[in-house]
Amino acid sequence: MGEPAFGVLGALKVRTDGVAVRIGGPKPRAVLATLLLQPGGFVSLDLLTEVLWPGGAPRSAVANVRTYVRTLRQALSEAGVAADGFRTEASGYAFDVEPGELDLLLFEQRLELARAEREEGDDAAALRAYESALGLWRGSVLQDVPSSVVWDPEIARIEGLRSVAVDECLEVRLRLGDYASLVADLRSRLAEDPLREDLWRMVVQALRDSGRTAEARSAYAEAERIIAAELGIEPSAPLRAMGEEINGYAARRRTAEAVPVCQLPMDVPDFTGRADEIGLLERLLSAAGRQPVVVVVSGPPGSGKSTLSLHVAHRVRESFPDGQLFVDLGGTSGRAREPGDVLAEMLRGLGVIDSTIPSETGERAALLRSRLAQRRFLIVLDDAAASSQVRPLLPGTGGSAVLVSSRRRMPALPAHHTPLGVMDRDDARALFGAIVGEDRVRLGGDDVDRVIAACGSLPLAVRIAGARLANRPGWAVGALADSLHDERGRLDRLQTGEMEVRASAELSYRQLPAPAMRIFRAFGQLADVAVAGWTAAVVTGSTDEASAALETLLDEHLLELVGTDGVGLQRYRMHELLRCYARELAVADGREERKRQQLLVTDALIGLARTANSAMPNRFLGVLGEPEPLTGPEAALAETVRARPVEWFESERRLLVIAVGAAVRLGDTDRAADLAIEMASFFDMRGYYGDWRSTHQLVLEAMPEKSCVRAAALLRNIGQLHLYQDRYAEALECFDRSRAIFAELGHLPGEAVAAAGAGSVHRVVDDLDAALDAFVDALRGFGKAGDRHGEAVAHNAIASVWLERKDPEAAAGWLDGALELSREVGDRHREAQVRRRIAELHELRGEPGVAQAELERALGIFDDLADTHCAAYVQQSIGELCLRQGNAREASALLTGALAVQQQLGDRRAEARVACLLGELHHATGREQTARRYFHRSLSTWRRLDAPDQAELVDAKLRSLR
């Protein structure tokens, strides 16, 4: 068999026909390494991003990953390496390789063959297979590629597999009598781990069987001395028996065969769901063999950790013939058990009498490891408090497995970590049905889902709700759902007998340090929304204290880390029932303290929103002045927010909208207005018209004073929204009212912005004289205020009027000025808007090629800025231009895409126009049915807009089809 094409068992290697292939660049090499570590498995873009940029990915990360993959494919193809198995999927990649093409797969294949030969008793064939498998190793896994924490679990598995294979090979060599070189190899292994009694036993046996009795005795004495010095115990029975034999001692009396121990409590009879988690835990526990396995199941209060662990323990007990130990560690009792006391209990379970149990915890732990070294036990450690409590209870060698349940994450343990969340909806329904009976679930219909939703799919809550209903035969499921609807009394109703959600949460809460308690209560005032860690820093006043508190809450599973947002900040969410408990606790802090915390967060949001808005690519609607320097913990985000304002707004959008409503409820309409006004540019750019309307109208209606700068700014922004959605009379009324208020207050920038808005309305309704007057007034106001951004807007607006009048020469000078101003102030968004108008100018001059080039440049800018709204208008313009030039295929693709965006954004005027254009296109290409459908869509939209002239034109096109 030839050498594998790909290698990871050492330096990363690619070969074809025996010749090494160079894969240039660290990033493509890291991509290839990641794919080869999971041959045939799906590797997501997120995973590759974490490998390539562990300190935080750039904005272009996804595009860069795709580039690296293309580079990798090209390098393989040019070298003649078969890469047919390279698959691109929706959000990632996979690389299918045959076992003979990758040294890792070939190693595992040969190792399986070696073990099969060994089981059949053919040691000679087994040795050849073992040596063939181990011969594939050229060093440590991927030793020449910068390491990644993403790879660590798989690399640890592979290295562990190699270690076990070496040990198995040594045993085969011992049976075959390969004594000469075997002793040296065993000594080499012992240098790495001198407490391996199985290796010492083989050394002694090899020396004895090769006639080197004196050396065998010396080796046994050395083993006895090292084990006594390090562990304070004598060797285990197999090694001790070997020592007695070579030293000529009489065989000691053999003890009776021990009866297996089983301390597991009774399994839950109605256990339901969790099939994926059960399968995973069974696979992990079954891997215990030559090395012990530790699995930690952690999760929030009430998630069913103990129930699941006990259920799985019963399912796998047959795999552990020496017995099963169960210990309640009392982690949430307030009096967590000391490791020394637990060790004594476990040793008694293993048959050690009290008089021989050492007094020191370290000695007890060593004795436990010794007792477990040659046996297969399953140990269930329930309700663990911390890693330090669990670590002394773990075996060191042998085939035992340990299953730990805890509310706390324990990353310091050498274990497989399995976080347990809430149940999925179907499992929660099944659990509810197992308790109350399937007939009541069937009759309950949608009310069952209401109960599950009120319980947040938390197993404890579902079990309590089901038990309450089961104990009340006369209740309908709807009555239970109604009783759980109100959050304020929900925890009172989620208790029955000894089960209580509140008590379960309290056990975790009361063990928190004071800063973590404060952050926990603060989350009770937030809606069900994921928030960034800086909000906690604002509440505590200290970034370091908040960071530590958040980590504590994560460790205790009282918060959930839901991911990283668009600016690279981690975001956290609290389970709904935990929020109910946190809200109850926050009441004790008093109304003034709660208000103080809310205002701290609101002020921080205002400051960050102003910072973001000042850096927005389409800044125009914020007219309240420049941002002031941030002073609180949020100041650490200022540079990030300025660098990525759109991403920050996107990440915080839900929290910002909620904060506007919260400020109004507190009676602080000034703060609510400040926040709403600063969000308008973002809402405009991303087309969030619902949020735009709800925030502005809510604040405006609540304001006691309607003649202030804030009210004028709100009116101006609402006018812009009316304009976008074709409510021209309402738009003009808002602009005029806003302009009058600004004028009365002497606020020149605000007056100019409102004048520009009014001019836009006049232009759209074809009152071009009024539009020109308004735009000239706006230009004058911007000039007096020294607002160069505004001057660029006014120049472009005046040019639009001359273009409507089909006078490109009159528009040209204004467009030159607009383009120069846009570049001067670095406003790329305004530059793209100007280029749209320049394209109109060139088309009027009969230069369609130049016009399309300008539109393509504008589209590129809007795409870079992720402004789907404006990009759709440019796409529409390119589509119209292509249609007029007879390029039906490209026009169809562009106009169809623009129509979808306009429909999503609710721009019915643009939607009607594009639908009509698509009707004309399909009519011209002979697709009459499709043309008729688009004309009908356009006609109905124009009629809803009460635009009879446009409706008549489309109706005429329809009649011509008939």
Side-chain angles (χ1 to χ4, degrees), residues 142-158:
L142 294 173
Q143 63 185 26
D144 66 334
V145 181
S147 62
S148 168
V149 295
V150 173
W151 300 339
D152 288 350
E154 181 60 15
I155 289 178
R157 183 192 73 82
I158 299 168

Side-chain angles (χ1 to χ4, degrees), residues 6 14 21-24 28-29 31-32 35 65-89 92-96:
F6 300 97
V14 182
V21 176
R22 184 178 181 276
I23 303 296
R29 285 170 59 80
V31 171
L32 178 60
L35 291 167
V65 170
R66 299 191 193 282
T67 299
Y68 299 142
V69 170
R70 284 197 299 271
T71 301
L72 177 59
R73 277 178 163 160
Q74 183 177 356
L76 294 175
S77 176
E78 290 176 353
V81 179
D84 299 339
F86 218 128
R87 292 184 283 113
T88 300
E89 301 191 6
Y93 303 92
F95 195 6
D96 297 322

Side-chain angles (χ1 to χ4, degrees), residues 658-859:
I658 290 168
V660 170
V664 169
R665 287 192 295 275
L666 287 174
D668 197 331
T669 53
D670 285 353
R671 282 185 168 93
D674 289 347
L675 203 51
I677 290 165
E678 297 299 338
M679 287 190 286
S681 287
F682 168 69
F683 290 155
D684 181 7
M685 182 175 183
R686 286 295 172 90
Y688 290 129
Y689 293 165
D691 288 342
W692 188 345
R693 183 185 307 107
S694 65
T695 53
H696 281 58
Q697 289 183 344
L698 175 67
V699 179
L700 189 61
E701 291 170 2
M703 292 186 75
E705 172 57 54
K706 299 290 197 298
S707 299
C708 62
V709 170
R710 291 183 175 90
L714 289 168
L715 282 167
R716 189 262 172 252
N717 294 351
I718 293 172
Q720 188 73 21
L721 181 59
H722 284 317
L723 173 60
Y724 286 156
Q725 298 189 321
D726 307 308
R727 296 185 291 269
Y728 304 120
E730 295 93 328
L732 190 57
E733 180 186 358
C734 286
F735 286 136
D736 288 344
R737 286 171 59 197
S738 172
R739 186 176 179 183
I741 296 171
F742 278 130
E744 185 177 341
L745 296 171
H747 195 292
L748 288 174
E751 185 181 356
V753 173
S760 295
V761 178
H762 291 310
R763 179 176 57 79
V764 170
V765 298
D766 291 327
D767 190 349
L768 298 182
D769 290 337
L772 190 58
D773 290 343
F775 289 147
V776 170
D777 287 344
L779 178 61
R780 189 179 301 114
F782 286 130
K784 290 180 181 178
D787 185 344
R788 304 291 275 173
H789 281 275
E791 288 184 73
V793 171
H795 274 74
N796 194 43
I798 292 171
S800 72
V801 175
W802 292 112
L803 291 172
E804 288 286 342
R805 289 175 170 172
K806 311 300 181 187
D807 190 341
E809 303 315 316
W814 293 106
L815 289 173
D816 289 342
L819 188 60
E820 182 180 348
L821 284 164
S822 298
R823 288 174 166 175
E824 176 189 321
V825 298
D827 189 341
R828 294 189 69 216
H829 195 277
R830 186 55 49 189
E831 178 188 342
Q833 297 283 20
V834 174
R835 291 194 181 281
R836 282 186 64 204
R837 300 300 183 195
I838 292 174
E840 292 182 42
L841 180 146
H842 285 293
E843 191 174 9
L844 286 172
R845 285 175 171 174
E847 301 167 340
V850 181
Q852 183 163 350
E854 287 293 342
L855 287 172
E856 295 287 356
R857 293 174 72 177
L859 183 60

Side-chain angles (χ1 to χ4, degrees), residues 222-351:
E222 183 183 359
E224 195 172 38
R225 184 172 61 254
I226 290 173
I227 293 168
E230 293 293 329
L231 302 179
I233 60 174
E234 63 179 6
S236 62
L239 179 56
R240 198 166 60 246
M242 181 67 65
E244 291 170 354
E245 183 177 341
I246 63 168
N247 283 297
Y249 300 155
R252 297 181 178 179
R253 181 174 60 86
R254 297 185 180 275
T255 59
E257 185 175 347
V259 177
V261 177
C262 183
Q263 298 179 345
L264 297 179
M266 188 176 73
D267 194 6
V268 177
D270 60 356
F271 190 93
T272 305
R274 299 289 197 190
D276 292 342
E277 292 88 344
I278 291 171
L280 173 61
L281 292 175
E282 288 183 351
R283 288 193 299 275
L284 292 173
L285 294 172
S286 66
R290 293 187 57 84
Q291 295 292 327
V293 168
V294 182
V295 181
V296 177
V297 178
S298 62
S303 58
K305 303 173 293 295
S306 297
T307 303
L308 174 65
S309 299
L310 185 58
H311 182 69
V312 170
H314 277 281
R315 288 173 64 97
V316 301
R317 55 179 295 192
E318 298 300 325
S319 300
F320 298 92
D322 292 318
Q324 302 86 42
L325 300 178
F326 180 89
V327 184
D328 183 354
L329 297 180
T332 56
S333 66
R335 295 184 300 277
R337 299 183 63 189
E338 292 295 329
D341 296 337
V342 176
L343 284 165
E345 178 183 329
M346 294 174 70
L347 288 169
R348 292 187 195 100
L350 294 173

Side-chain angles (χ1 to χ4, degrees), residues 252-589:
R252 297 181 178 179
R253 181 174 60 86
R254 297 185 180 275
T255 59
E257 185 175 347
V259 177
V261 177
C262 183
Q263 298 179 345
L264 297 179
M266 188 176 73
D267 194 6
V268 177
D270 60 356
F271 190 93
T272 305
R274 299 289 197 190
D276 292 342
E277 292 88 344
I278 291 171
L280 173 61
L281 292 175
E282 288 183 351
R283 288 193 299 275
L284 292 173
L285 294 172
S286 66
R290 293 187 57 84
Q291 295 292 327
V293 168
V294 182
V295 181
V296 177
V297 178
S298 62
S303 58
K305 303 173 293 295
S306 297
T307 303
L308 174 65
S309 299
L310 185 58
H311 182 69
V312 170
H314 277 281
R315 288 173 64 97
V316 301
R317 55 179 295 192
E318 298 300 325
S319 300
F320 298 92
D322 292 318
Q324 302 86 42
L325 300 178
F326 180 89
V327 184
D328 183 354
L329 297 180
T332 56
S333 66
R335 295 184 300 277
R337 299 183 63 189
E338 292 295 329
D341 296 337
V342 176
L343 284 165
E345 178 183 329
M346 294 174 70
L347 288 169
R348 292 187 195 100
L350 294 173
V352 179
I353 60 176
D354 283 354
S355 61
T356 61
I357 294 177
S359 59
E360 296 295 325
T361 298
E363 294 177 351
R364 291 179 177 181
L367 181 56
L368 177 72
R369 291 194 295 271
S370 178
R371 288 282 176 161
L372 295 173
Q374 306 296 328
R375 306 166 81 178
R376 285 180 60 81
F377 265 88
L378 174 63
I379 303 169
V380 179
L381 302 176
D382 187 42
D383 193 17
S387 300
S388 58
Q389 183 192 33
V390 173
R391 192 182 299 276
L393 314 180
L394 303 181
T397 58
S400 295
V402 182
L403 184 55
V404 184
S405 69
S406 177
R407 295 189 180 187
R408 185 169 296 160
R409 294 188 305 166
M410 297 185 178
L413 285 182
H416 300 278
H417 297 274
T418 307
L420 189 65
V422 299
M423 284 181 147
D424 64 40
R425 190 183 67 86
D426 290 340
D427 279 356
R429 280 182 65 98
L431 174 59
F432 188 73
I435 298 169
V436 306
E438 291 302 324
D439 290 342
R440 295 181 81 176
V441 169
R442 188 166 50 254
L443 292 172
D446 293 341
D447 289 330
V448 174
D449 289 331
R450 291 173 57 208
V451 172
I452 300 302
C455 294
S457 292
L458 190 71
L460 175 61
V462 174
R463 186 171 289 279
I464 292 172
R468 292 195 73 206
L469 190 64
N471 292 332
R472 294 164 176 79
W475 269 25
V477 178
L480 176 62
D482 291 341
S483 72
L484 296 174
H485 178 71
D486 187 354
E487 288 187 355
R488 289 170 296 182
R490 189 175 298 169
L491 294 183
D492 291 327
R493 296 175 181 87
L494 286 176
Q495 54 182 314
T496 181
E498 296 181 355
M499 294 189 296
E500 184 179 354
V501 172
R502 182 188 288 107
S504 181
E506 184 181 3
L507 289 173
S508 293
Y509 172 77
R510 68 187 183 190
Q511 298 183 53
L512 296 174
M517 285 182 169
R518 187 158 60 252
I519 297 299
F520 181 85
R521 296 194 301 272
F523 267 84
Q525 300 185 67
L526 299 174
D528 183 19
V529 58
V531 299
W534 66 263
T535 56
V538 169
V539 171
T540 62
S542 167
T543 300
D544 291 340
E545 185 177 286
S547 178
L550 288 170
E551 283 300 311
T552 298
L553 292 172
L554 284 175
D555 287 343
E556 298 291 340
H557 286 280
L558 295 174
L559 276 186
E560 177 188 5
L561 183 62
V562 295
T564 303
D565 62 26
V567 293
L569 301 177
Q570 291 183 325
R571 302 193 76 83
Y572 307 85
R573 176 181 283 124
M574 182 175 282
H575 187 275
E576 187 174 356
L577 294 179
L578 289 175
R579 276 196 308 105
C580 290
Y581 178 58
R583 187 179 298 113
E584 288 182 359
L585 295 172
V587 171
D589 290 337

